[in-house]
Amino acid sequence: MMEEEELEFVEELEAVLQLTPEVQLAIEQVFPSQDPLDRADFNAVEYINTLFPTEQSLANIDEVVNKIRLKIRRLDDNIRTVVRGQTNVGQDGRQVKEITRDIKQLDHAKRHLTTSITTLNHLHMLAGGVDSLEAMTRRRQYGEVANLLQGVMNVLEHFHKYMGIPQIRQLSERVKAAQTELGQQILADFEEAFPSQGTKRPGGPSNVLRDACLVANILDPKIKQEIIKKFIKQHLSEYLVLFQENQDVAWLDKIDRRYAWVKRQLVDYEEKYGRMFPREWYMTERIAVEFCHVTRAELAKIMRARAKEIEVKLLLFAIQRTTNFEGFLAKRFSGCTLTDGTLKKLESPPPSTNPFLEDESAPEMEELAIEKGELDQPKKPKVPDNPFHGIVSKCFEPHLYVYIESQDKNLGELIDRFVADFKAQGPPKPNTDEGGAVLPSCADLFVYYKKCMVQCSQLSTGEPMIALTTIFQKYLREYAWKILSGNLPKTTTSSGGLTISSLLKEKEGSEVAKFTLEELCLICSILSTAEYCLATTQQLEEKLKEKVDVSLTERINLTGEMDTFSTVISSSIQLLVQDLDAACDPALTAMSKMQWQNVEHVGDQSPYVTSVILHIKQNVPIIRDNLASTRKYFTQFCIKFANSFIPKFITHLFKCKPISMVGAEQVR
């Protein structure tokens, strides 16, 4: 009975003290113990048996029980002490928090005290600085003002949130008033030194004006802009007088003098005034840029008034000199002043920035030798854009119709010369070594096209390029019609009796194909030329799209012209097929009209077969050799001839009358 009660007690104890293996391991590591009561696998029965191994040992059971009870009381005391200790922790934490709050209050007080002292120092500096600023302004001590004004403005920024205080607001208003007075005073000083009317002040710039520019850098940007505007206007006033519209030097033929004048002025400015203005103002570049704007307006005005006097040579001369000057500017300046409000220092572009200066005479002196596909050469690396391109030359765009009309006239004369040369020199000589000869006139045409395209793209990449493209389209069609289609041999028909004897005569060489050897070579030459024009026109379209403004690329389309050359190719192939096909017709007709019932002997080869073979041997090798450079079109010719001849041969075969029984036996 006793053992059953002990087992129930042990099971209840295990149910209460079930800990996970991880927790138990942690407890053993923190509180290592050799006491059996502390073991996770404690067994009460085994422990009791250890204490009382024999019945005789039960005699001291009371002593053992008292020891265990004493141990339990000690554990209870320890637990009570720990619990009470945790109760006091909260009180200690509140005490620490109060100490921390006091420390924070002391930190805030220290910070506020430091801020107050700093603010008082700034206020003292501001009040003294404003007084000094007003006094220095009256004495025009701009060098000292430049340093002091910047410091005063920096200090004033610290009081931005204190503007509600009357004394601070009053100091701020005094600073603004001093700035306004400085701006007006500096403008007046520059007006006195460089009056709008009259000559420049002798003796060059003074140190006062140089220091005044340093002050203007700190003031409202409008002050600096006004100084720059007035100085440049005064500096260019002489230019407007010398090159008035009614002056002889104002016309395009003397445009070089304009650019020579401004170059001298830039040198003069650097010598006399280069140190007066801060470098970051870029005054030399600004003078040059303003000169360009004025020149463009003046040239546009005078060209509108004298538009009828503008000739293409004069226009091209003026444009070339102007683009050369724009290239000079690109070498000398960075172009940073071209963007509104930009005074940031930019890296100067390399000397090769101006594409027109690489070879000024390229449009006029370009080599006139072009090979097939030259327009599709590997692209050169694109040079950086010239920031000054068009700054003056843009004024010539409205008058580029003169150039376009000139090219229209020149191309018309060129086509007429091609026609006359063809009539005078005749078709190209038969060429069986290198294939069909491409007409030299087409190479000359595309050389001229390339020259015009390069030249026009240097004049403008806008609407004039579209107008030039229209001219190109016009004369590509004219070349296809007048030079290519217009010189294809005309087909003729012949009639007459066809007999076996006439076919035998053809075998002996008394008759030849309808087209002569020269005519066959001419057709092949025209075909090769049309193929060259087709490929080069496609490349021309790509080049034009590269040259023109991106917004205008969709308006360049030479598909119609390429279709025209494709039509010439198809017509040439069809002529060759028709010629050979017609040459074989008499033989096929003779075959169908032959009295087969009278045939009594079978020979090695019928005369009509001999005739067909003869014509094929006469034409095909010539065509093959002359189309050696365009093999795909020779293949097309063979396919089309086969597609035309075979159905016709079968049709004539069905027209043949039955042969005699004797002939049939011999055939069998």
Side-chain angles (χ1 to χ4, degrees):
M1 189 68 179
M2 186 67 170
E3 293 180 354
E4 291 179 357
E5 291 178 355
E6 289 178 352
L7 289 173
E8 290 178 359
F9 172 76
V10 170
E11 290 176 356
E12 291 177 359
L13 186 62
E14 289 178 350
V16 173
L17 298 176
Q18 268 310 330
L19 299 175
T20 61
E22 293 80 3
V23 175
Q24 188 62 44
L25 179 62
I27 292 174
E28 291 177 357
Q29 290 176 350
V30 177
F31 304 105
S33 175
Q34 300 296 329
D35 192 340
L37 293 173
D38 293 333
R39 294 180 61 183
D41 57 349
F42 173 76
N43 190 311
V45 175
E46 292 181 359
Y47 182 68
I48 292 173
N49 290 334
T50 303
L51 295 176
F52 306 104
T54 62
E55 292 182 2
Q56 290 79 7
S57 60
L58 292 174
N60 61 347
I61 188 171
D62 293 334
E63 183 182 353
V64 172
V65 170
N66 291 332
K67 289 182 178 180
I68 292 175
R69 286 176 178 171
L70 180 60
K71 190 172 184 177
I72 290 172
R73 283 196 300 271
R74 289 176 179 173
L75 287 173
D76 289 339
D77 292 340
N78 291 336
I79 291 172
R80 192 179 300 109
T81 302
V82 171
V83 171
R84 289 175 179 174
Q86 291 297 321
T87 303
N88 296 331
V89 168
Q91 184 177 358
D92 295 341
R94 284 192 293 272
Q95 292 177 353
V96 172
K97 187 174 181 180
E98 290 176 359
I99 295 173
T100 304
R101 183 173 60 249
D102 294 340
I103 294 174
K104 287 184 178 179
Q105 290 177 351
L106 291 174
D107 287 341
H108 287 312
K110 177 183 178 182
R111 187 180 304 111
H112 292 160
L113 182 61
T114 302
T115 303
S116 300
I117 294 174
T118 304
T119 303
L120 288 174
N121 288 333
H122 285 166
L123 183 60
H124 176 71
M125 292 168 57
L126 180 61
V130 172
D131 292 339
S132 300
L133 181 64
E134 292 173 342
M136 292 177 182
T137 300
R138 288 190 295 270
R139 293 194 296 268
R140 284 181 166 76
Q141 295 175 327
Y142 295 131
E144 292 79 0
V145 167
N147 296 324
L148 180 60
L149 178 60
Q150 186 64 61
V152 168
M153 294 176 65
N154 292 338
V155 172
L156 189 60
E157 289 180 1
H158 294 285
F159 293 94
H160 182 70
K161 55 186 176 182
Y162 303 117
M163 288 301 169
I165 301 175
Q167 291 84 352
I168 302 297
R169 186 170 59 252
Q170 182 181 6
L171 287 173
S172 175
E173 292 173 354
R174 288 176 63 187
V175 172
K176 291 181 180 178
Q179 288 178 308
T180 302
E181 183 180 355
L182 275 171
Q184 295 174 351
Q185 186 170 293
I186 290 172
L187 289 177
D189 290 344
F190 270 93
E191 178 65 25
E192 181 183 354
F194 305 102
S196 301
Q197 303 293 332
T199 60
K200 289 175 284 189
R201 182 180 180 181
S206 65
N207 292 333
V208 173
L209 295 182
R210 182 187 62 192
D211 294 338
C213 292
L214 299 178
V215 177
N217 258 342
I218 307 173
L219 298 175
D220 189 330
K222 293 181 180 179
I223 302 298
K224 178 176 64 179
Q225 294 171 3
E226 186 67 20
I227 293 173
I228 293 173
K229 180 180 177 181
K230 286 188 174 182
F231 178 82
I232 294 177
K233 182 178 180 181
Q234 196 276 342
H235 211 69
L236 295 178
S237 58
E238 179 186 349
Y239 173 69
L240 293 173
V241 175
L242 292 176
F243 294 89
Q244 288 184 17
E245 185 178 351
N246 58 356
Q247 297 296 321
D248 183 58
V249 293
W251 189 228
L252 300 181
D253 59 342
K254 296 181 178 60
I255 199 169
D256 280 337
R257 298 189 182 183
R258 294 177 180 267
Y259 305 132
W261 181 89
V262 75
K263 290 178 182 179
R264 291 193 302 270
Q265 290 300 310
L266 294 179
V267 173
D268 179 70
Y269 166 81
E270 290 288 351
E271 293 177 351
K272 294 182 179 180
Y273 308 102
R275 296 183 179 181
M276 185 175 75
F277 295 100
R279 294 186 62 183
E280 63 269 19
W281 286 21
Y282 299 99
M283 287 298 294
T284 311
E285 179 176 324
R286 291 181 184 277
I287 293 172
V289 170
E290 183 61 22
F291 165 83
C292 291
H293 293 325
V294 172
T295 300
R296 184 170 71 179
E298 291 296 313
L299 288 176
K301 182 171 64 175
I302 193 171
M303 284 191 291
R304 282 195 303 269
R306 302 173 62 176
K308 294 182 179 180
E309 301 178 38
I310 301 177
E311 298 177 351
V312 64
K313 289 184 178 180
L314 178 62
L315 180 65
L316 292 180
F317 167 80
I319 292 175
Q320 183 187 30
R321 294 297 189 269
T322 302
T323 53
N324 289 348
F325 175 70
E326 291 172 349
F328 161 79
L329 296 180
K331 286 183 177 181
R332 180 81 181 274
F333 306 115
S334 65
C336 61
T337 63
L338 296 174
T339 55
D340 294 337
T342 301
L343 289 176
K344 185 179 178 182
K345 174 72 174 168
L346 301 177
E347 292 296 331
S348 298
S352 60
T353 296
N354 182 13
F356 310 135
L357 293 184
E358 293 179 1
D359 184 2
E360 297 177 5
S361 60
E364 291 76 21
M365 305 302 294
E366 190 172 51
E367 290 292 335
L368 297 181
I370 186 172
E371 305 210 2
K372 184 175 182 179
E374 184 180 350
L375 290 176
D376 197 28
Q377 293 175 345
K379 297 178 182 178
K380 298 179 180 178
K382 188 175 181 180
V383 296
D385 292 334
N386 175 5
F388 296 93
H389 173 52
I391 191 170
V392 179
S393 58
K394 200 76 175 176
C395 68
F396 297 111
E397 276 201 14
H399 304 277
L400 283 179
Y401 67 88
V402 176
Y403 171 79
I404 302 299
E405 291 174 355
S406 172
Q407 297 307 324
D408 188 3
K409 179 182 177 182
N410 293 341
L411 282 168
E413 295 175 352
L414 188 63
I415 294 295
D416 291 341
R417 181 166 63 82
F418 290 160
V419 173
D421 290 346
F422 191 92
K423 290 181 179 179
Q425 300 172 8
K429 302 300 179 183
N431 187 349
T432 58
D433 296 330
E434 301 178 0
V438 175
L439 297 179
S441 57
C442 73
D444 295 340
L445 178 66
F446 282 105
V447 164
Y448 195 84
Y449 272 19
K450 181 182 179 183
K451 173 184 174 181
C452 293
M453 178 182 67
V454 172
Q455 191 176 53
C456 186
S457 66
Q458 294 176 352
L459 305 179
S460 170
T461 55
E463 287 295 334
M465 282 291 288
I466 301 298
L468 184 66
T469 301
T470 303
I471 299 298
F472 284 174
Q473 291 174 299
K474 172 184 176 181
Y475 288 103
L476 285 173
R477 293 191 298 268
E478 286 205 12
Y479 186 84
W481 296 333
K482 293 183 178 181
I483 307 300
L484 302 182
S485 296
N487 287 309
L488 284 173
K490 303 298 185 291
T491 58
T492 57
T493 58
S494 60
S495 60
L498 298 173
T499 62
I500 296 296
S501 59
S502 66
L503 293 176
L504 291 173
K505 288 182 180 180
E506 288 184 6
K507 182 179 178 181
E508 296 172 357
S510 58
E511 294 187 11
V512 294
K514 293 180 181 178
F515 286 149
T516 64
L517 172 62
E518 289 76 11
E519 289 173 329
L520 288 176
C521 292
L522 174 60
I523 296 173
C524 293
S525 179
I526 290 176
L527 190 155
S528 299
T529 303
E531 190 261 347
Y532 169 81
C533 292
L534 173 62
T536 313
T537 299
Q538 183 177 0
Q539 297 160 12
L540 174 65
E541 181 184 75
E542 296 172 358
K543 285 296 180 181
L544 286 169
K545 288 183 177 180
E546 289 179 12
K547 299 289 186 181
V548 77
D549 292 341
V550 177
S551 59
L552 302 176
T553 53
E554 295 299 326
R555 295 174 58 184
I556 294 180
N557 188 345
L558 304 184
T559 304
E561 289 64 42
M562 288 186 274
D563 290 342
T564 300
F565 290 117
S566 296
T567 302
V568 174
I569 293 172
S570 299
S571 299
S572 301
I573 294 175
Q574 193 61 34
L575 274 180
L576 296 173
V577 171
Q578 289 177 357
D579 177 63
L580 183 55
D581 202 30
C584 296
D585 279 346
L588 297 180
T589 303
M591 178 185 73
S592 61
K593 291 184 177 182
M594 186 174 179
Q595 302 298 323
W596 291 98
Q597 67 274 17
N598 297 330
V599 175
E600 298 180 355
H601 302 284
V602 178
D604 183 33
Q605 183 172 281
S606 301
Y608 61 86
V609 175
T610 302
S611 177
V612 170
I613 293 174
L614 176 64
H615 289 300
I616 291 176
K617 286 185 176 181
Q618 285 178 342
N619 283 30
V620 173
I622 297 173
I623 296 171
R624 178 197 63 208
D625 294 340
N626 280 273
L627 295 182
S629 60
T630 55
R631 184 60 62 185
K632 63 179 179 179
Y633 293 120
F634 173 70
T635 303
Q636 287 187 25
F637 158 74
C638 293
I639 293 172
K640 288 188 176 183
F641 173 71
N643 291 339
S644 174
F645 177 76
I646 292 175
K648 188 183 294 185
F649 175 79
I650 294 174
T651 300
H652 282 80
L653 188 62
F654 279 109
K655 292 180 181 179
C656 294
K657 297 179 180 179
I659 62 176
S660 65
M661 294 302 296
V662 177
E665 281 294 329
Q666 291 182 357
V667 171
R668 190 179 300 111

